[in-house]
């Protein structure tokens, strides 16, 4: 299982890559592994305003339906439409082609963990 | 999970990296490291071959001079139509016509039968059968705990199994069985399954469980967990107790009148089923195929013109169709509706009614 050092994490197992005022969001390797084969991703609408902690996307595996929560507040500016045809990218490339949405941040966030803290959190 | 029962293959599942979950009181593999989707394809492929441990299921032997009369009375199907070496799908019904269980009946001889029952219903079934047996010259024996049941399913099932058994598998037709000798022990092999693919189910003494499991894997069968098994059976429209059938529905609603022979003579539940048939069922089990993206799940509502008219009993993403499919109970007056939807997260996703199976069955019929 990989936990890249350049990302931030949530206790709900999302990752966020912050670049200026843009946050790219996905679910962690741990999350995709726990869910199993992802067969469906429901993406948010571009333009939607998110509050931190709000459920904004859904990933469905063969057996389970799971909400994805916004690590940061702000406006959805782009979504990964590739996941509509290839939802398995969430399994095979969770931190890359498996990204879910990009958000223009308004400054509000949930508690974001660094790599070391998330690693410890997973071990607990 | 210390209170869960284990099949004789539990350690094999753990060694293969199987993800173990509680199911019907047993610790069972829901999937192996390949994952449910790959396991599904390993069975559905044109060169498919998957091996399932289904030893949690129950086996009940019925013997005695009145075994036929007894089974005619306690099961819904016409046992008199069976010949030696034939298998029949049937229901055990309550007096009110609802399901105690769905079973398969194997005829070894006119006075000797073998029943395979659902794991979760086994104790209930045995108690019911023993209570009814008081009125017949018949002996009931629960052999579940000494029996390992494997399913080998897929287009390659016969070629995987053939070198390992001393009988001609080609001579076993669909829903027929034969007895083979393996390592000096008797093994019952039936051409049956729960996947819609050609294949076999093997009833083994527990002592053969590990060697048989390993031998079939070594011949190229892939281990398949419960998640893929559920996908395979749902795609075929096969009923699963606790989902499509239960003690709340009768064969009339479940579309299982083909295993309920009202003209065979008296049997438990007959009068109630006949009455339900005459009055017409309030709901019917149907197949739905979503025409837009989404995955229907159990208990999701079925809508017609925005109003709830039914509910999903089993739903899945069909990898072969690339779309969501569901089995659902729908109110009788809406069966012909051309505007059915499944409600997914407050959105009405359009669905078309289709007659299961959702994908082509490849069992070797006739």
């Amino acid at each position: 299982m990989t936990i890249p050092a350049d990302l931030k994490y949530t206790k709900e197992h999302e990752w966020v890559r912050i670049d200026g005022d843009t946050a790219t969001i996905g679910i962690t390797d741990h999350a995709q592994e726990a869910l199993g084969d992802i067969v469906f991703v429901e993406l948010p609408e571009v333009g939607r305003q998110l509050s931190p902690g709000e459920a904004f996307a859904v990933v469905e595996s063969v057996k389970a339906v799971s909400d994805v929560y916004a690590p940061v507040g702000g406006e959805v500016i782009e979504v990964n439409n590739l996941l509509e045809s290839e939802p398995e990218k969430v399994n095979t490339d969770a931190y890359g082609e498996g990204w879910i949405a990009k958000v223009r941040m308004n400054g509000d966030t949930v508690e974001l963990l660094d790599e070391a803290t998330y690693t410890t959190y997973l071990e607990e | 999970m210390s209170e869960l029962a284990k099949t004789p293959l539990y350690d094999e599942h753990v060694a293969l990296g199987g993800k173990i979950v509680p199911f019907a009181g047993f610790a069972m593999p829901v999937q192996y490291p390949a994952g449910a989707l790959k396991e599904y394809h390993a069975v559905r492929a044109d060169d498919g071959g998957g091996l399932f441990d289904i030893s949690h299921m129950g086996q009940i032997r019925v013997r005695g001079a009145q075994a036929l009369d007894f089974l005619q009375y306690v099961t819904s199907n016409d046992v008199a139509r069976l010949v030696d070496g034939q298998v029949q799908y049937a229901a055990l019904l309550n007096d009110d016509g609802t399901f105690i269980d769905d079973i398969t009946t194997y005829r070894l001889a006119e006075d000797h039968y073998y029943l395979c029952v659902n794991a979760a219903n086994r104790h209930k079934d045995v108690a019911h059968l023993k209570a009814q047996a008081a009125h017949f010259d018949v002996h009931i024996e629960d052999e579940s705990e000494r029996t390992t049941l494997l399913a080998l399913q897929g287009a390659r099932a016969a070629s995987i199994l053939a070198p390992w058994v001393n009988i001609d598998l080609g001579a076993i037709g669909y829903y027929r069985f034969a007895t083979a000798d393996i390592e000096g022990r008797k093994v019952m092999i039936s051409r049956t399954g729960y996947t819609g693919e050609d294949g076999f189910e093997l009833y083994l003494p527990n002592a053969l469980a590990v060697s048989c499991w390993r031998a079939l894997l070594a011949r190229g069968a892939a281990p398949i967990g419960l998640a893929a098994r559920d996908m395979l059976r749902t795609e075929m429209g096969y009923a699963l107790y606790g989902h499509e059938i239960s003690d709340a529905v009768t064969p009339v609603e479940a579309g299982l009148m083909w295993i309920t022979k009202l003209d065979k003579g008296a049997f438990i539940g007959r009068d109630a089923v006949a009455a339900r048939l005459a009055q017409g069922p309030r709901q019917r089990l149907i197949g739905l195929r979503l025409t837009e993206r989404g995955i229907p799940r159990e208990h999701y509502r079925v809508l017609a013109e925005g109003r709830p008219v039914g509910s999903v009993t089993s739903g899945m993403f069909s990898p072969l169709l690339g779309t969501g499919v569901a089995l659902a109970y729908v109110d009788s007056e809406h069966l012909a509706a051309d505007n059915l939807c499944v409600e997914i997260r407050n959105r009405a996703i359009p669905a078309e009614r289709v007659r299961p199976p959702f994908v082509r069955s490849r069992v070797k019929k006739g």
Side-chain angles (χ1 to χ4, degrees):
Chain A
M1 184 167 39
T2 60
I3 304 175
D6 59 333
L7 305 181
K8 301 289 189 198
Y9 301 89
T10 72
K11 290 182 174 176
E12 301 287 350
H13 307 288
E14 291 87 17
W15 57 262
V16 54
R17 175 179 288 117
I18 295 171
D19 182 12
D21 66 352
T22 300
T24 305
I25 300 164
I27 68 168
T28 66
D29 202 24
H30 169 84
Q32 69 79 17
E33 196 170 295
L35 282 167
D37 293 322
I38 307 289
V39 291
F40 184 89
V41 178
E42 188 173 289
L43 299 164
E45 303 230 335
V46 171
R48 178 168 158 187
Q49 294 291 334
L50 302 181
S51 305
E54 179 182 349
F56 78 103
V58 177
V59 292
E60 299 197 35
S61 66
V62 167
K63 294 303 280 181
V65 180
S66 200
D67 284 325
V68 184
Y69 299 95
V72 301
E75 179 186 350
V76 176
I77 53 171
E78 192 179 346
V79 296
N80 186 3
N81 290 311
L82 173 70
L83 299 182
E84 293 198 349
S85 55
E86 298 179 51
E88 65 275 13
K89 292 293 186 192
V90 176
N91 293 117
T92 56
D93 193 8
Y95 301 111
E97 284 192 292
W99 67 276
I100 292 171
K102 292 183 181 177
V103 172
R104 183 175 297 120
M105 295 188 292
N106 62 14
D108 296 334
T109 74
V110 300
E111 182 187 0
L112 296 178
L113 313 177
D114 62 17
E115 173 223 353
T117 314
Y118 182 61
T119 304
T120 309
Y121 175 70
L122 285 183
E123 285 163 359
E124 278 166 6
Chain B
M1 318 187 169
S2 60
E3 73 283 8
L4 293 175
K6 292 172 180 172
T7 79
L9 294 167
Y10 175 82
D11 290 342
E12 300 295 304
H13 303 316
V14 172
L16 287 167
K19 183 174 172 189
I20 306 294
V21 300
F23 182 82
F26 283 78
M28 298 297 290
V30 65
Q31 62 173 40
Y32 298 90
L37 272 183
K38 281 205 175 72
E39 292 169 25
Y40 161 92
H41 286 295
V43 177
R44 278 276 185 268
D46 289 338
D47 60 349
L51 186 61
F52 307 69
D53 176 17
I54 49 174
S55 304
H56 56 302
M57 296 186 75
Q59 291 79 32
I60 301 166
R61 197 173 295 276
V62 179
R63 304 187 77 150
Q66 289 187 295
L68 174 57
D69 294 340
F70 172 72
L71 290 173
Q72 283 290 58
Y73 185 63
V74 297
T75 78
S76 63
N77 212 333
D78 187 358
V79 186
R81 294 189 195 179
L82 281 178
V83 298
D84 293 355
Q86 192 174 7
V87 190
Q88 184 181 67
Y89 182 46
L92 299 180
L93 300 177
N94 289 300
D95 283 328
D96 67 359
T98 62
F99 288 87
I100 297 171
D101 202 358
D102 62 333
I103 68 169
T104 45
T105 304
Y106 289 67
R107 172 168 157 153
L108 290 98
E110 189 179 357
D111 61 354
H112 186 181
Y113 299 83
Y114 194 72
L115 312 179
C116 185
V117 307
N118 279 300
N121 294 331
R122 173 184 143 215
H123 294 293
K124 178 180 73 173
D125 293 350
V126 170
H128 170 71
L129 293 173
K130 285 193 168 168
Q132 295 299 328
H135 313 296
F136 293 86
D137 178 8
V138 70
H139 179 73
I140 309 290
E141 187 162 3
D142 180 0
E143 299 190 357
S144 308
E145 282 168 24
R146 74 175 85 140
T147 308
T148 293
L149 179 54
L150 300 182
L152 178 65
Q153 302 279 296
R156 245 178 355 113
S159 64
I160 291 170
L161 186 57
W164 194 65
V165 294
N166 64 341
I167 57 171
D168 176 15
L169 295 173
I172 307 177
Y174 187 57
Y175 265 66
R176 301 278 173 156
F177 69 97
T179 303
D181 285 301
I182 295 174
E183 297 175 21
R185 294 169 189 269
K186 295 256 185 276
V187 172
M188 223 167 70
I189 300 176
S190 56
R191 201 155 203 147
T192 51
Y194 201 41
T195 63
E197 300 297 329
D198 187 25
F200 301 89
E201 291 175 310
L202 290 78
Y203 296 81
L204 313 161
N206 286 344
L208 284 182
V210 172
S211 62
C212 182
W213 174 262
R214 289 181 180 174
L216 295 174
L217 292 184
R219 292 186 188 284
I224 312 295
L226 292 175
R229 179 171 167 82
D230 195 51
M231 296 171 73
L232 292 158
R233 75 90 195 165
T234 299
E235 236 176 22
M236 282 298 121
Y238 294 157
L240 175 61
Y241 196 92
H243 300 264
E244 287 70 39
I245 57 177
S246 69
D247 60 7
V249 299
T250 78
V252 182
E253 293 85 38
L256 287 174
M257 288 308 294
W258 65 276
I259 63 164
T260 308
K261 301 294 162 51
L262 297 177
D263 58 358
K264 71 165 174 165
F267 64 93
I268 298 173
R270 181 193 177 283
D271 295 346
V273 171
R276 184 70 59 96
L277 191 64
Q279 89 196 148
R282 196 176 66 76
Q283 293 198 312
R284 285 283 314 240
L285 186 70
I286 64 168
L288 292 171
R289 176 176 170 165
L290 302 196
T291 54
E292 293 178 12
R293 293 179 70 243
I295 303 180
R297 305 276 181 181
E298 186 175 11
H299 305 310
Y300 284 8
R301 297 197 297 179
V302 178
L303 308 175
E305 289 168 0
R307 291 190 305 118
V309 298
S311 116
V312 170
T313 53
S314 297
M316 64 177 292
F317 173 78
S318 165
L320 281 193
L321 299 174
T323 184
V325 297
L327 299 170
Y329 276 105
V330 169
D331 294 345
S332 297
E333 59 267 35
H334 292 284
L335 291 173
D338 57 7
N339 56 356
L340 293 175
C341 293
V342 176
E343 185 181 45
I344 303 179
R345 294 183 284 277
N346 297 316
R347 287 218 307 259
I349 308 296
E352 58 185 11
R353 185 180 171 188
V354 297
R355 180 182 291 273
F358 296 104
V359 304
R360 187 170 56 93
S361 169
R362 297 197 289 193
V363 298
K364 295 266 197 266
K365 281 194 176 156

